[in-house]
Amino acid sequence: MSLEPVTLQQLPTDLISDLLPQHVAVIMDGNGRWAKNQGKPRIVGHQKGVDTLKDLLRCCKDWGIPALTAYAFSTENWGRPRGEVQFLMTLFERVLRRELQEMKEENVKIRFVGNLEDLPTSLRQEIDRSMEDTKNNQGTQFTVATNYGGRHEIIQACQAIAKKVEQGYLKANQVNEDLFEQHLYTQGIPHPDLLIRTSGEMRISNFLLWQVAYAEIYVTSTLWPDFDRTEFHKALATYQQRDRRFGKVKS
Ligand code: IPE
Ligand code: IPE
Ligand code: MG
C-alpha cells in the first residue's frame, strides 16, 4: 500500500469534527473497470480494492469516525462468472486471516452482515473467529456486508417476527419500527449518515434498503481502487455542506 501524505493522517483542517458522519457506508464499485483500464483481469481490481478498504478503515480511526460499513458481496453477485466468485470468496478468507491480528491491535470491532450460512465453510470459520475475537473491542465498528441483500434482510426479519406472532410471543400490533430493527442483521448498529458509491453508478443495488432512509448520498465517478483519503476528504466536505432536514422545515 502506498504511504499517505502526512497532512491527511489527521483530520483535514477544513472539516469540522463535530459535524462528521458517525457512520459511513460504502458501495465499493468499479474494481472490474479499474482493472480493465489497466489491461488487467478483473481480479486485480478486487485485490487493489482491499488496500483501499484497509486504508479507509484506518482513516476512519485517524479522523474520528466511529463506524464504517462496506458492501463486499451482494446476493446478486453469485450471478458472476464462477471463477470470479471463487476468487472473491478466497480473497475474503485470505484477507481476514492476514488482517485479524492488526485489527485486534487497532481495537476494531468487526461484524459481518448478510446471509452468512451460504458462504463457504472455511470462510465462515474465519468470519466467526474474527467476530468472536473482536467483539469486546471499543474502537471503530467495522461492518462487512457479505452475501448481503437488503430485500433478503427485510424478508428474514418478517419471517422471524411472523414466527413469534404465530407462536403467540407477540401480537401483530406490537410490531413497530424498533422491533423490526431488532430483527435486522444490523441490529445495534446506528443507521449510516453518509452513503458513498464509487464508479458513478447512481443506484443502491440492494444495499441497506431500510437503513439508508435518511442517509446523505454521495456518488463519485472515481473507481473504488482509486478512492483514497483525498477522495474521502471530498466526500466528507460535501457531506458537511448538506442540510439534513429529515422532513422538517428550518426553525
Ligand atoms: C465492486 O466492483 C466489487 C464487487 C461487486 C465485489 P465490481 O466488480 O462491480 O467492478 P465493476 O463495476 O465491474 O467495474
Ligand atoms: C454492488 O455493486 C455490490 C457491491 C459493491 C458488493 P455491483 O457492481 O454488484 O452493482 P450493480 O450490478 O452495478 O448494480
Ligand atoms: Mg460493479
Side-chain angles (χ1 to χ4, degrees):
M1 199 191 316
S2 60
L3 285 175
E4 291 301 327
V6 172
T7 45
L8 290 180
Q9 280 177 2
Q10 280 158 10
L11 185 67
T13 49
D14 61 313
L15 295 178
I16 303 156
S17 180
D18 287 349
L19 294 181
L20 285 174
Q22 295 301 290
H23 181 183
V24 174
V26 281
I27 301 178
M28 312 185 285
D29 199 15
N31 292 350
R33 277 163 281 174
W34 184 89
K36 194 173 174 219
N37 290 345
Q38 321 242 331
K40 295 186 176 142
R42 294 174 57 81
I43 57 170
V44 177
H46 296 316
Q47 258 161 340
K48 182 73 168 60
V50 171
D51 295 342
T52 302
L53 180 59
K54 191 177 166 188
D55 193 52
L56 184 63
L57 177 61
R58 186 162 295 139
C59 186
C60 285
K61 182 185 179 203
D62 292 346
W63 292 2
I65 294 170
L68 174 70
T69 295
Y71 201 7
F73 193 87
S74 75
T75 47
E76 288 73 31
N77 288 150
W78 294 109
R80 294 187 175 204
R82 203 178 139 87
E84 181 170 343
V85 171
Q86 269 174 356
F87 177 85
L88 284 168
M89 294 300 148
T90 311
L91 180 70
F92 298 153
E93 193 179 322
R94 214 173 50 224
V95 169
L96 207 46
R97 199 174 293 132
R98 190 181 72 204
E99 302 295 336
L100 181 59
Q101 186 55 32
E102 206 171 315
M103 286 196 286
K104 283 201 284 200
E105 283 161 18
E106 297 207 3
N107 209 14
V108 170
K109 178 176 179 169
I110 191 167
R111 191 158 145 188
F112 282 80
V113 293
N115 183 5
L116 306 180
E117 280 158 33
D118 288 351
L119 294 171
T121 315
S122 53
L123 173 57
R124 277 192 61 191
Q125 283 167 350
E126 289 303 322
I127 286 176
D128 290 345
R129 190 157 70 102
S130 67
M131 290 201 285
E132 179 60 28
D133 285 6
T134 65
K135 68 178 183 205
N136 295 321
N137 286 358
Q138 304 287 319
T140 314
Q141 185 163 30
F142 179 39
T143 306
V144 187
T146 312
N147 194 18
Y148 175 89
R151 288 179 179 169
H152 179 270
E153 179 182 41
I154 289 169
I155 292 296
Q156 67 79 36
C158 290
Q159 286 178 347
I161 293 167
K163 202 168 170 184
K164 288 181 185 170
V165 173
E166 205 173 67
Q167 293 173 343
Y169 296 118
L170 266 181
K171 291 199 164 68
N173 65 7
Q174 289 175 304
V175 180
N176 56 29
E177 290 187 15
D178 284 344
L179 181 117
F180 194 77
E181 295 231 5
Q182 286 164 26
H183 292 81
L184 293 174
Y185 293 132
T186 55
Q187 183 261 324
I189 303 172
H191 295 168
D193 297 304
L194 171 63
L195 172 67
I196 296 172
R197 182 161 188 156
T198 54
S199 89
E201 310 295 354
M202 300 206 187
R203 52 180 173 260
I204 301 289
S205 299
N206 207 8
F207 190 41
L208 301 177
L209 296 181
W210 170 279
Q211 298 87 341
V212 298
Y214 269 101
E216 292 298 324
I217 299 176
Y218 176 85
V219 176
T220 172
S221 57
T222 300
L223 304 174
W224 176 253
D226 290 327
F227 191 82
D228 58 10
R229 288 183 183 217
T230 305
E231 293 296 325
F232 192 39
H233 177 193
K234 279 189 221 163
L236 294 173
T238 303
Y239 171 82
Q240 295 206 328
Q241 278 164 8
R242 300 276 177 90
D243 181 14
R244 301 188 77 190
R245 289 188 292 278
F246 298 98
K248 302 181 179 68
V249 288
K250 277 254 162 107
S251 51

